Amino acid sequence: MKCLYNIAMECYRVGVALVSPWHTKARLWRVGRKDLFERMRSSIDPNSRIVWVHVASLGEFEQGRPIIEKIRAERPEYKILLTFFSPSGYEIRKNYQGADYIFYLPLDTTANAKEFLDIVKPEIAIFVKYEYWLNLLEQLRIRRIRTFIVSAIFRKNSIFFRHFGEPWRAALDTFETIFVQDAHSLKLLSQLGCDNVVVAGDTRFDRVAQIASQAKKIEIVEQFKGQSRLFVAGSTWGEDEELIVRLANENPTIKFVIAPHEMEEGRMAKIAQTAKHGAVRYTQYGAEDVGKQILILDTMGMLSSVYGYAEFSYIGGGFGVGIHNTLEAATFGLPIAFGPNYKKFKEARDMITLGAATSIANYEQLSHWFAPLRDDAEHLNNVSQISKEYTAKHQGATEIFFKTVF
């Protein structure tokens, strides 16, 4: 099985090279790894005490960020190396000031794993949520480097529990401690004989609490909202946007912010064309646009603060591969709606059970959810309180990790 894994890595490399002339992310993935080891050697101080934190992409970076920043604040003797697998994380956070060194992770071959660790020589390696790279983990194990995984979550259908999953089960021995999100993951791992598991929760709750406490003042959003109530639809895709624009058209007294997950010109133009009561892009906003009903957030890094101005929220992605971050809205005490593909997200399931969130499959269900929140202030306050209490209750994973490791 390990042989097949290595063949798959080579096939992945060839596949990326073949499609990179036409595929932006593939091109960034390939170009970002060009001369990677030379660049690492020229910038990493070989005498540094290094904590290496690896994340897959932007979402996992936000999960790992509270840990990075706590290490930076309380253990300044360490230098922090941050690696990304995906361009969608690296390209956005490559200038992040909380880490000393930021690079792409090399493709997981045995030779790459050896050279990477020869250069970095980390004292501690931290993986966030997943990314079980077999060759890297094997080399970490051989070199007896303290290795951890945080905010991990395991499901019965995961590769670890399948008949061909032996290499991944063996890789779990690399981790000094496995910090999991829930008791179900603990139970599953105990069936594999893992006794190095701690239920710490999800560091994303700590991150969204940070975000809420550091929310930025955004004058354009304040002007746009005025005295109206605000509905924020975050990380939306085309099907989400059709529903939200229809909801806006039928609720002209409510202001709406729509933040597309990917800022495609065609989709943003369609929002503007179908909005009966006017729409304007954030980067084109002017004094004459105060009366328009929809503000399209066509810029990065603002959504988490914009939620702080809202009374209602919708999270996109549920009509595709899965919903995006619900906790950024929940930490501000917002009622939340999203599409039907949410079941792999524990926090979404929890909030539905508690009554803080709902899943909708069509416009009628969205309208039915929204109407009582719009018309009954007491109902809105109750739902908001549940949402806020849920996020507050689940904070603390970062502290558990830090006390255990350091």
Side-chain angles (χ1 to χ4, degrees), residues 50-233:
I50 288 181
V51 174
W52 166 37
V53 180
H54 174 67
V55 299
S57 192
L58 191 59
E60 292 73 34
F61 165 76
E62 291 296 330
Q63 243 169 333
R65 187 168 175 169
I67 288 173
I68 293 171
E69 294 181 357
K70 190 168 182 65
I71 295 170
R72 173 73 101 193
E74 299 193 20
R75 297 301 299 266
E77 67 270 27
Y78 286 105
K79 298 289 187 181
I80 297 171
L81 166 68
L82 173 64
T83 59
F84 289 86
F85 181 78
S86 168
S88 58
Y90 176 82
E91 295 299 328
I92 292 173
R93 295 302 184 193
K94 60 187 177 184
N95 296 315
Y96 169 60
Q97 297 300 304
D100 298 282
Y101 313 110
I102 303 176
F103 293 100
Y104 277 104
L105 186 75
L107 186 68
D108 189 37
T109 66
T110 298
N112 282 351
K114 289 180 178 179
E115 188 164 6
F116 176 83
L117 293 175
D118 284 345
I119 296 169
V120 176
K121 298 181 177 65
E123 286 191 22
I124 298 171
I126 303 167
F127 290 73
V128 179
K129 191 175 181 180
Y130 51 75
E131 296 258 303
Y132 301 94
W133 300 112
L134 296 185
N135 292 308
L136 263 171
L137 291 174
E138 181 180 54
Q139 289 302 312
L140 287 165
R141 193 161 61 249
I142 289 170
R143 297 171 190 230
R144 299 181 181 273
I145 294 170
R146 297 184 70 202
T147 304
F148 304 88
I149 188 162
V150 299
S151 297
I153 193 159
F154 293 83
R155 302 180 181 88
K156 188 62 180 176
N157 62 352
S158 298
I159 195 168
F160 305 94
F161 306 100
R162 299 186 181 184
H163 69 277
F164 53 82
E166 177 53 35
W168 284 270
R169 289 191 287 273
L172 292 176
D173 290 337
T174 308
F175 299 110
E176 182 177 318
T177 307
I178 300 172
F179 296 90
V180 297
Q181 293 187 26
D182 57 22
H184 181 64
S185 294
L186 172 67
K187 181 179 179 181
L188 288 173
L189 288 172
S190 69
Q191 295 171 9
L192 300 180
C194 296
D195 58 2
N196 57 335
V197 185
V198 172
V199 179
D202 189 345
T203 53
R204 285 184 303 161
F205 288 93
D206 301 326
R207 175 59 187 149
V208 296
Q210 282 182 342
I211 289 170
S213 67
Q214 300 167 2
K216 303 170 187 173
K217 180 179 180 179
I218 306 174
E219 291 186 3
I220 287 177
V221 175
E222 288 186 0
Q223 294 168 8
F224 172 77
K225 178 180 178 178
Q227 298 303 310
S228 301
R229 290 180 293 172
L230 183 66
F231 189 120
V232 174

Side-chain angles (χ1 to χ4, degrees), residues 231-238 240-241 244 256-264 267-268 271 280 282 294-304 306-307 314-317 324 328:
F231 189 120
V232 174
S235 302
T236 57
W237 295 84
D240 304 306
E241 289 151 14
I244 297 302
F256 284 74
V257 169
I258 299 177
H261 184 69
E262 293 183 351
M263 286 165 277
E264 298 174 359
R267 279 183 24 221
M268 290 191 290
I271 292 171
V280 61
Y282 179 89
I294 297 176
L295 180 65
I296 303 168
L297 204 62
D298 61 344
T299 185
M300 300 292 293
M302 296 176 58
L303 178 59
S304 57
V306 173
Y307 283 125
Y314 176 96
I315 308 301
H324 296 288
E328 286 184 349

